Amino acid sequence: MAAPVLSYEKLGLIQGSGWLFRDLDIHIGARDRLALIGRNGAGKTTLLRLIAGQVDPDEGRRTIQPGTRVVLLEQEPRMTDCVTLMDYVLSGDDAPERHAAEAIADQLGIDLAREAATASGGERRRAGIARALAMDPDVLLLDEPTNHLDIAAIEWLEDWLGRYTGAFIVISHDRTFLTRLTRQTLWLDRGAIRRAEVGFGGFDAWTEQVYAEEARNAARLDAKLKIEEHWLQRGVTGRRRRNQGRLEKLREMRAARAAMQGPQGAAALATASDDVQTRVVIDARHVSKSYGDRTIIRDLTLRVTKGDRIGIVGANGAGKSTLLKLLTGEITPDSGEVRLAKTLNGVIIDQQRSLMAPDRTVRDVLAEGGDWIDVLGVKKHIHGYLKEFLFDPALAEAKVGTLSGGERSRLLLAREFARASNLLVLDEPTNDLDLETLDLLQEVIADYDGTVLIVSHDRDFLDRTVTVTLGLDGSGSVDVVVGGYADWEAKRRVRPEAKKAAKSAPAVADQPKVRTKLSYKDQRDYDLLPARIEELDAAIDRDEAALADPDLYAKNPAKFDALMAAIATAREEKDAAELRWLELAEMAEALG
């Protein structure tokens, strides 16, 4: 390994009455692409600030090559004294050149003349990115860079970082973002740090090995008490196995939903059977909504049934919040109608987390100061319920204001999921959550008995969670696609090719024959694709296991790159195969 451009040796920091972490050795190479992984509250954001030199450690020595420029993109840009976003971008002694910031802002689609006080979270985040990138850093530290960004902006940032010639460390809950960009991993766990020369794509396999080795050591030492202290880590393997079971259940739900769906592009259900009618919880018919001269939603017809998991995606400003409010009855359409089931009882978890007063304790929030909480009609002790949501029970007396952003979000989820409801509305639920909490959230959603509406830019989360995706392109039309984000993206890619083919096809005088069964090729694909999908799953698991070797990149970088490419290719083929099979299942159902 070449000499690092920035190092910390024996790094330690005291927080409160004890050490947040101690004896950390961190070395950053000139071209490192590091994912910083750890639970909420482990100190990831604090560690980035230490690396950036914004916080002084209580122990340790920092070494940096002369001339190395380190830039930190914080989660919440501080704009208190700034009138416009441009004032923020050009503030400080280390401000970037104005023309460089304007060039990046133009690519990100942000007007830096916007007043800082009234700017949205997405606009503030874009301004922060423009400032950080325009500063031409040698080491770039990114704390949740995708929060508040739409998918187009996330993909732009991925492309920029893919071409970036310096080093970066990124904290993110966005699995797709991490998998595409990172080549090394720093894992902050229980006050210690581990490094593996493997990107996030191999993180799960690596941690499985670490936990297995810890369990073997604990067994040899008969350290049962130590194992009990790490109740969270003990459940990781089992949780991942359950994840696989939930993904299989999700595929079955998508196949069932595809059979209910009408012709491509029509959002109405193909059947009006009594069984389906009684399960309809939201019935939108020919709904349109405009603001001024701009049409937000045009002629949408959609039936949402009990148990549906509906994902809503689109660029910022495309109309996602408007669509969500229409479907929940918060606003009325200009034309058409939305009927809600009389028994609908919704819980809405919004982006603002506005109900979490900082001076209240965790006990106050969950149990109104008591020891017991009513969870869907079942009494649970607050300490046991905190464990279910990955909290240390000792945090019951902690003030909300002392929790990290991710811990506050997790606490809000714990409180809201305890309430009886049959409709769950989640607006950007993944912001500030760590990866283990995202696994938990997927688990809770999968087990939820009602209907779920989710607005999110987290592509992996949608692929693992929703049965139907509503895609908005800003023109007023709404694509209704069975499946997750990848299925919607595949449809968007196919549509221009299909239009081009239709335009160039010669006119045919005779009407086509009505099909009564699948063609030979379609039937063959329908029969063989499930086995192929299983083969691809096995290949991905095998290659990810190989990537878990911490010495692989150093010993054989060519093999490392080949494995990463093979995994990406296999995932693309698997996504296409699943989409093809769902389409064939819909055709087979329609043909009887």
Side-chain angles (χ1 to χ4, degrees), residues 276-335:
V276 171
Q277 290 282 20
T278 57
R279 294 176 62 231
V280 173
V281 295
I282 302 173
D283 191 1
R285 301 184 181 182
H286 303 292
V287 169
S288 295
K289 184 69 178 180
S290 299
Y291 290 107
D293 295 332
R294 186 184 169 205
T295 300
I296 307 297
I297 305 295
R298 180 187 298 110
D299 196 27
L300 170 66
T301 295
L302 173 73
R303 284 178 183 169
V304 179
T305 62
K306 179 183 177 182
D308 276 347
R309 281 87 171 96
I310 306 292
I312 302 176
V313 300
N316 287 342
K320 299 187 298 297
S321 295
T322 298
L323 177 56
L324 195 65
K325 291 176 181 177
L326 285 168
L327 293 179
T328 56
E330 186 176 339
I331 61 175
T332 57
D334 297 333
S335 60

Side-chain angles (χ1 to χ4, degrees), residues 57 91 104 147 193 218 222 229 324 328 358 379 385 395 456 516 563:
S91 62
I104 293 175
N147 273 5
I193 201 159
D222 196 26
E229 289 174 353
L324 195 65
T328 56
K379 289 285 187 182
Y385 192 58
L395 279 176
S456 181
T516 59
L563 285 171

Side-chain angles (χ1 to χ4, degrees), residues 218-273:
R220 283 194 292 267
L221 297 171
D222 196 26
K224 295 181 180 179
L225 180 60
K226 181 177 180 180
I227 296 175
E228 178 61 27
E229 289 174 353
H230 301 317
W231 50 268
L232 169 66
Q233 281 73 23
R234 288 189 302 151
V236 167
T237 298
R239 185 175 299 114
R240 287 178 183 146
R241 287 175 183 151
R242 292 197 300 275
N243 282 347
Q244 294 303 313
R246 285 193 299 278
L247 286 176
E248 181 58 35
K249 179 182 176 183
L250 181 61
R251 293 188 188 102
E252 293 172 0
M253 292 172 67
R254 287 176 177 174
R257 196 59 169 83
M260 298 166 62
Q261 197 76 9
Q264 192 72 15
L269 297 179
T271 176
S273 67

